[in-house]
Structure formats: structure tokens, C-alpha cells
Amino acid sequence: MAPSSDILFLLLLPVAAALTTPGSCSGCGPPSLPMLVGLMAADLVVSLLIVAVVFVCACPRRRPTQDDKIYMNMPGRG
């Protein structure tokens, strides 16, 4: 879990971005096409990794049944 200072930073980041004047950074231009494609590809890879991890953690696992147990409330099983 993230510390509260990180959460506060994430909540205030859009406010700080809204307060900056457009065109205030020197040397900033529109991002190039290869950089945008690279960012989209990296986003896709990370998203698929998150989906795979969630799927592996959430899918039910088969546990071997042990028939040597005695089931008192289940007729026919013991």
C-alpha cells in the first residue's frame, strides 16, 4: 500500500498540471510518432501483464481430493 504522501501527491498532480501555463516549457514540442508508438506499446505490455497476473491469481486451483476422510453429514462418502 502506498504511503499517504504518495496518494496526496497523486491527487494534487492534476491541479498542478492545470495551473501551468501552456507553452511555458522551453524546447518542448509535440511528441514524435515513434515515441507515441513506444508509449502505447509499453502501455499494452503492462496492461496485458496486469491482466495475466490477475487471471493467474483469481482462477480456481484444483486441489486433489482425499477420499480417506470421514464425512459425517454426507451419506455415501464415508
Side-chain angles (χ1 to χ4, degrees), residues 49-66:
L49 181 67
I50 291 171
V51 168
V53 167
V54 168
F55 178 75
V56 167
C57 291
C59 91
R61 294 181 179 93
R62 290 184 170 232
R63 295 186 180 139
T65 58
Q66 297 177 352

Side-chain angles (χ1 to χ4, degrees), residues 5-74:
S5 61
D6 292 342
I7 294 173
L8 180 64
F9 174 73
L10 290 175
L11 290 175
L12 292 178
L13 189 61
V15 174
L19 293 176
T20 60
T21 50
S24 64
C25 75
S26 60
C28 296
S32 63
L33 184 62
M35 186 174 76
L36 286 176
V37 171
L39 285 173
M40 290 176 62
D43 182 46
L44 178 68
V45 167
V46 170
S47 298
L48 289 176
L49 181 67
I50 291 171
V51 168
V53 167
V54 168
F55 178 75
V56 167
C57 291
C59 91
R61 294 181 179 93
R62 290 184 170 232
R63 295 186 180 139
T65 58
Q66 297 177 352
D67 289 332
D68 57 346
K69 290 185 178 179
I70 298 173
Y71 297 94
M72 295 180 70
N73 293 328
M74 296 179 71

